[in-house]
Amino acid sequence: MNLSDQESFNSLSGPSLDDQSFKRISKFAYDAAGLSIASSKAAMVRTRLARRLRHLGLNSFGAYCDFIQSDDGGQERIELISALTTNVSHFYRENHHFKLLTSQVLPDLANQRNRPLRFWSAGCSNGQEPYSLAVSLYESGFLNTNTDLKILASDIDPRVIDFARKGEYPERMIEGLSTELRERYFSEVPSNNSERQWSAQESLRKLISFRRLNLLDTWPMQGQFDVIFCRNVVIYFDQKTQDTLWGKFSKILRPGGWLFLGHSERISDGFQNQFETLGDTAYRLRKS
Ligand SMILES: C[S@@+](CC[C@H](N)C(=O)[O-])C[C@H]1O[C@@H](n2cnc3c(N)ncnc32)[C@H](O)[C@@H]1O
């Protein structure tokens, strides 16, 4: 998480974040969402939560901590995690993964289209990742009339899930998608400001189910997945939480299934024997 200039500027005003409150907040973020927040990020935490204190009319972080730990703090616990997570994403982020998807993964799955195929964008943020997946599936000609393919798109943050489900992007958030693809899969909708606004077409929406899901919780999904994109999510987790996830992914992936991670994320050594490395941050679960 980078402390932006705006955050540094804002951090000059409002209540200060004492050590004790920082520890209570970071412990809560770790226990609730797996977020591992170093003490060097205290200024960022203070800036991001100052708005919440103002909104609640609280004048100290100690009072805020008491509130999130109270019986009435349920909604604020969600707001706190939402404020501390980083939701940056864009269409076709780390495009080499989408190239690998169309050059290797989809050809490999082509003769399995007689069974349900399941993809998962785990930590999908505002939806650019699952919509990029859906566009790639159409563009590669993979989907025929009988293909039963669904993309689960999940995130811990209910705000981004609501946004993604709505599927409407201002022009600055749709960068990364070529004009040609934007015209083919999105429709321009009225905007209430000077920025143009684009809405995902039904062909994309019908492939994707958006769900709020904390990766730390028990996963309710029944079947196995063929492809999982979990990119730029585990970077905020410590090794112990990452290892728990590698174990869970190896169980929920179909043998031979693919796992894509973000550019600075790697499967830890203890799980290397279960996964074959396919390319930069792309893995395949071994069949036996
Ligand atoms: C930087 S975004 C990544 C978006 C997309 N995968 C990409 O690479 O562009 C990280 C997302 O992970 C989500 N996240 C963080 N902790 C999570 C958790 N414990 N369970 C589920 N999602 C989580 C955040 O809410 C955020 O939307």
Side-chain angles (χ1 to χ4, degrees):
M1 295 182 217
N2 293 323
L3 179 63
S4 67
D5 291 346
Q6 187 61 37
E7 284 173 329
S8 328
F9 175 77
N10 288 342
S11 67
L12 297 173
S13 62
S16 61
L17 175 58
D18 56 286
D19 279 0
Q20 167 83 3
S21 299
F22 173 76
K23 282 187 187 134
R24 288 172 76 186
I25 289 166
S26 58
K27 181 175 183 327
F28 174 77
Y30 181 78
D31 293 343
L35 304 177
S36 179
I37 307 175
S39 50
S40 58
K41 303 291 182 194
M44 178 210 74
V45 170
R46 179 187 171 206
T47 309
R48 291 196 182 178
L49 295 182
R51 282 173 233 137
R52 298 305 312 157
L53 267 71
R54 275 198 300 278
H55 177 80
L56 296 165
L58 297 172
N59 57 11
S60 79
F61 276 95
Y64 183 72
C65 290
D66 292 343
F67 182 59
I68 58 168
Q69 287 175 326
S70 71
D71 290 346
D72 293 337
Q75 180 56 33
E76 189 54 31
R77 291 193 279 275
I78 294 172
E79 298 288 350
L80 168 62
I81 297 304
S82 178
L84 293 183
T85 47
T86 296
N87 302 127
V88 176
S89 189
H90 49 86
F91 281 87
Y92 283 97
R93 182 180 196 178
E94 298 178 40
N95 192 26
H96 59 101
H97 285 156
F98 295 93
K99 288 185 176 156
L100 196 65
L101 182 83
T102 44
S103 66
Q104 282 194 40
V105 178
L106 297 181
D108 206 86
L109 286 174
N111 62 3
Q112 300 178 51
R113 278 176 291 193
N114 53 349
R115 65 166 176 87
L117 295 168
R118 297 291 175 258
F119 287 32
W120 182 14
S121 167
C124 66
S125 192
N126 288 312
Q128 292 98 326
E129 185 174 270
Y131 285 118
S132 301
L133 278 170
V135 169
S136 297
L137 288 163
Y138 281 109
E139 284 297 295
S140 60
F142 183 78
L143 299 171
N144 62 37
T145 44
N146 298 322
T147 316
D148 172 5
L149 189 151
K150 294 216 161 37
I151 302 169
L152 168 67
S154 69
D155 201 285
I156 193 172
D157 185 345
R159 286 180 193 273
V160 294
I161 287 295
D162 288 349
F163 184 98
R165 191 179 287 122
K166 197 165 179 222
E168 286 189 9
Y169 295 90
E171 204 149 23
R172 90 196 109 87
M173 285 179 80
I174 213 165
E175 278 172 10
L177 200 62
S178 66
T179 309
E180 191 191 344
L181 293 179
R182 189 185 69 193
E183 299 290 337
R184 203 173 295 159
Y185 296 100
F186 287 78
S187 309
E188 187 159 11
V189 288
S191 159
N192 50 15
N193 56 43
S194 57
E195 200 176 5
R196 295 171 78 187
Q197 181 92 359
W198 301 84
S199 177
Q201 289 177 8
E202 181 54 26
S203 57
L204 300 183
R205 292 171 187 277
K206 70 180 186 194
L207 289 183
I208 311 172
S209 302
F210 290 99
R211 295 274 180 280
R212 181 173 177 234
L213 176 67
N214 183 349
L215 288 171
L216 264 54
D217 288 347
T218 304
W219 297 345
M221 298 84 87
Q222 301 292 323
Q224 288 184 306
F225 287 88
D226 297 285
V227 177
I228 298 176
F229 274 53
C230 184
R231 305 184 312 157
N232 307 298
V233 179
V234 306
I235 188 176
Y236 303 111
F237 299 162
D238 66 4
Q239 198 57 57
K240 184 169 166 251
T241 310
Q242 289 191 17
D243 283 350
T244 306
L245 271 185
W246 307 144
K248 287 170 87 172
F249 282 141
S250 66
K251 289 197 180 65
I252 207 158
L253 263 178
R254 185 178 290 281
W258 287 267
L259 174 64
F260 293 88
L261 304 179
H263 61 283
S264 54
E265 301 164 335
R266 299 284 178 281
I267 291 224
S268 52
D269 292 348
F271 290 85
Q272 292 284 354
N273 58 344
Q274 294 190 43
F275 290 91
E276 180 190 344
T277 305
L278 278 190
D280 240 1
T281 56
Y283 298 88
R284 189 165 190 191
L285 187 66
R286 292 187 196 281
K287 290 195 174 153
S288 56

